[in-house]
Amino acid sequence: MSVAIVNLGDSHDGGSKGSRLAGDAVICDRGLIDWIGDSKDVARGDHGVVIDAAGATLIPGLIDSHVHVTFGDFTPRQRAVGFLESYVHGGKRRA
């Protein structure tokens, strides 16, 4: 099932130069961008879902890089007072 996103506002192609996409519509098929163009060229009846972005910004491939990597739950040491200080100073407490 393809998804058409129409009436995009600002866009970014995901490249390092930050170029705009060449149109205000995107069609995705099986999770991949299949076509980029003008909203007026989208045959709405040809797609399982049509989303009107109402001028929203599209940045394909945007990944939220703000993560807190842990192994399971916090370890007892991480709950201890002074954990961050001991981590920064290599386990040695400052006097």
Side-chain angles (χ1 to χ4, degrees):
M1 168 176 56
S2 62
V3 175
I5 305 170
V6 297
N7 298 320
L8 292 165
D10 288 333
S11 60
H12 187 295
D13 68 0
S16 61
K17 293 183 181 180
S19 301
R20 291 181 51 93
L21 296 176
D24 69 338
V26 172
I27 295 176
C28 299
D29 190 21
R30 290 177 239 156
L32 299 174
I33 294 175
D34 190 50
W35 178 86
I36 298 171
D38 293 326
S39 291
K40 65 179 176 53
D41 296 330
V42 174
R44 294 175 183 247
D46 291 348
H47 309 287
V49 176
V50 177
I51 299 169
D52 186 336
T57 299
L58 176 72
I59 305 174
L62 178 66
I63 298 172
D64 181 2
S65 61
H66 179 155
V67 297
H68 297 261
V69 179
T70 61
F71 297 100
D73 198 7
F74 287 111
T75 65
R77 182 165 183 263
Q78 288 172 312
R79 285 188 220 130
V81 174
F83 166 73
L84 289 177
E85 182 182 54
S86 68
Y87 181 80
V88 170
H89 298 292
K92 299 175 185 174
R93 304 236 346 133
R94 287 184 165 193

